[in-house]
Amino acid sequence: MQTRHRWITFFLAAKKSLWLGILVVLCQTTNVYAQALPVAKPENVNRLLSGVLQQGMQKRGFAANDHRFGNTVARVSSIAGGGAAVVTFGTITAPAWVTVALAAGIGAVVSYAVTLALDGIVSWLFNEDSVDVSSAPIHSDDSVIHQGEAYWSAGSPRGTIYGGNGIAVARQSYSEFATQYGVTAAPSCSSNASIAICTASEPDAIGSYLSRQALYYSSGAPSSCVRGHFFLDGMGCIPYVADEGEYLEAVSPQRAIDAIPEEDLNKPVNPAILAALVNRAWQHSASQPDYDGLPYPQADPITQAEVSTWTQANPEFAPTVRDFVAPNPSTNPTTNPWALPSNPTAPNLSPTAPNIGTTNPAINQPLQNLGPDPGIGAPTLEAIPTAQQIVQPILDMLPTLSGYKPSSHTGECPRPTIELYGTHVLDAHCTLIDDNKATIQAAMLLAWALIALFIVLSA
């Protein structure tokens, strides 16, 4: 009986504990934290421009202690701020580095459509005051394939497609199957590191959605094809004919920025654009009146490789597309948000101050009163000596040589005699020499002249 009572007591206590635990769990407050959105850092563009500019000046032989070195950085800052155009982001109006690039006229340097992001999808063509936007993966830098290297592949009615860009290959596959099945809906495409998928945006007549995918392979491309082409088994390299995506012509910077996909915003800015921006800013500043910085190296401009070198050495400060297109307003009217820092890698940035008065240190000092004019006349100069007067001291050093004459010498041709069956005089050579005396004299004179010339030249 007591054992049964103990079991009942234990069961009731366990049941009470269980309900108490459930109540505690239900009463606990669940904390939900929102995921932080990426924050744009336009100052990273300031860092890169300053770093690449200083690196470029040192590479071209200019020392950092040259007073024009700091002046160049400071003057480029003023050109960037003065040329900034206005971009509207919602209710906030502020210039951005991308509009500085547009105002600086980088379209004259980058005269072709270039992806705004490194390995990006969207390409920009910079005009004078507008932008042409093309989301054409078939013309992107990574659409090229090289035999034996990485590639994307997808099936098609004609065979296997091989290309360098996943979305471009998936689009081509979708386009060929859509033509075969009579599907007219435009595809919606997405990709990650290993697969790209294009799916119809609308169902077909039977309610299904056409979908095609491309897979990534790290090596083994069957052939090499240039940009805008894919490789098809048995047919070689063929131009893409699939829909190339959205194309916007001569739109405002804001409209072009709105067309940038989210995946491009977090990629590094294309070095070609940054190199062009550095060159145009330096070139503009060097052409201003009273410019006191280093001359712009027209024959040796800043290159993409120099930009890549700096970003590889400072990856934490490499600007992204988000940094490049974000507004860069100044919260203090006395500060310049475009100022390039003197130390681009410092935790706290300080703008580069120009070196004023270094070419003329006494520019701000008052003139000294030297008293009345003492009336001292202009100095007189000696007469300029003639050539004969200049060489005469040398000639006077060796007076005996001036009257030197070689001694006269007379000779007679030797005529040896031989006693053999009588006396024989050997004088045939004398007759031969006498007959050719003039020729022999001329030949010997030439020989001695050449010997003398070689002695003088070898001295």
Side-chain angles (χ1 to χ4, degrees):
M1 186 70 180
Q2 291 181 352
T3 302
R4 181 180 179 184
H5 178 71
R6 290 176 181 174
W7 276 107
I8 294 175
T9 303
F10 175 78
F11 175 77
L12 293 176
K15 183 178 180 181
K16 182 178 180 181
S17 300
L18 178 62
W19 281 109
L20 181 61
I22 294 174
L23 182 63
V24 170
V25 171
L26 292 176
C27 292
Q28 284 181 341
T29 302
T30 302
N31 294 326
V32 178
Y33 299 95
Q35 184 177 2
L37 296 175
V39 178
K41 297 179 179 179
E43 65 274 10
N44 280 349
V45 183
N46 300 51
R47 292 179 183 271
L48 180 137
L49 296 181
S50 177
V52 171
L53 182 59
Q54 296 185 45
Q55 172 187 271
M57 289 187 291
Q58 291 177 341
K59 181 181 177 181
R60 286 155 182 80
F62 298 106
N65 58 0
D66 188 332
H67 69 274
R68 299 173 298 170
F69 192 94
N71 287 353
T72 304
V73 181
R75 302 315 176 198
V76 169
S77 302
S78 61
I79 289 295
V86 173
V87 179
T88 303
F89 285 75
T91 59
I92 301 175
T93 300
W97 274 110
V98 67
T99 56
V100 173
L102 186 63
I106 70 168
V109 180
V110 186
S111 57
Y112 51 90
V114 60
T115 55
L116 194 61
L118 190 63
D119 298 330
I121 297 176
V122 175
S123 297
W124 281 26
L125 177 63
F126 291 89
N127 303 317
E128 185 175 351
D129 56 358
S130 62
V131 181
D132 294 347
V133 182
S134 174
S135 57
I138 67 174
H139 294 301
S140 64
D141 295 336
D142 62 351
S143 65
V144 179
I145 58 171
H146 301 282
Q147 186 172 9
E149 298 184 5
Y151 68 97
W152 293 78
S153 70
S156 77
R158 298 184 293 172
T160 304
I161 297 172
Y162 303 89
N165 183 279
I167 291 182
V169 172
R171 275 183 179 274
Q172 181 67 32
S173 175
Y174 177 91
S175 176
E176 295 192 15
F177 277 106
T179 301
Q180 182 180 15
Y181 298 146
V183 176
T184 59
S188 175
C189 302
S190 61
S191 68
N192 56 30
S194 59
I195 186 171
I197 301 176
C198 286
T199 305
S201 56
E202 298 177 0
D204 56 16
I206 60 175
S208 61
Y209 291 81
L210 177 63
S211 179
R212 300 300 304 167
Q213 68 180 22
L215 300 179
Y216 175 79
Y217 298 90
S218 59
S219 62
S223 181
S224 298
C225 291
V226 298
R227 181 184 303 182
H229 293 68
F230 65 92
F231 181 79
L232 184 64
D233 280 337
M235 300 186 65
C237 295
I238 301 175
Y240 285 98
V241 295
D243 180 18
E244 299 183 5
E246 184 180 19
Y247 181 78
L248 304 174
E249 184 176 4
V251 298
S252 65
Q254 177 59 47
R255 179 67 183 89
I257 292 172
D258 292 338
I260 301 175
E262 183 68 23
E263 59 183 300
D264 273 12
L265 288 174
N266 297 322
K267 295 179 179 179
V269 182
N270 194 325
I273 296 176
L274 296 173
L277 178 55
V278 175
N279 285 314
R280 292 297 289 180
W282 191 356
Q283 189 176 27
H284 277 312
S285 61
S287 64
Q288 300 303 309
D290 302 326
Y291 174 71
D292 54 1
L294 293 170
Y296 173 70
Q298 191 73 38
D300 187 20
I302 302 294
T303 63
Q304 302 180 40
E306 293 177 74
V307 176
S308 299
T309 299
W310 193 91
T311 55
Q312 290 170 6
N314 305 277
E316 68 276 17
F317 300 129
T320 63
V321 174
R322 190 184 303 276
D323 304 331
F324 195 61
V325 302
N328 195 17
S330 175
T331 56
N332 187 341
T334 62
T335 60
N336 178 13
W338 315 102
L340 304 186
S342 55
N343 184 359
T345 59
N348 298 318
L349 301 181
S350 57
T352 303
N355 300 305
I356 300 176
T358 51
T359 55
N360 184 8
I363 189 172
N364 296 321
Q365 297 179 6
L367 298 177
Q368 299 295 326
N369 187 356
L370 302 179
D373 184 2
I376 300 175
T380 58
L381 300 177
E382 297 179 356
I384 300 175
T386 64
Q388 179 64 30
Q389 292 173 333
I390 293 174
V391 301
Q392 190 61 43
I394 300 176
L395 299 177
D396 293 341
M397 292 174 62
L398 302 171
T400 57
L401 295 179
S402 61
Y404 172 78
K405 293 182 180 180
S407 59
S408 60
H409 179 74
T410 59
E412 184 179 355
C413 180
R415 292 177 172 84
T417 61
I418 299 176
E419 297 292 338
L420 182 65
Y421 302 107
T423 302
H424 301 277
V425 179
L426 304 179
D427 59 354
H429 63 285
C430 296
T431 304
L432 179 62
I433 293 174
D434 288 339
D435 293 342
N436 298 279
K437 181 179 179 180
T439 303
I440 295 174
Q441 284 180 339
M444 291 299 101
L445 180 62
L446 176 61
W448 283 108
L450 292 176
I451 292 173
L453 178 63
F454 290 149
I455 293 174
V456 172
L457 294 178
S458 63

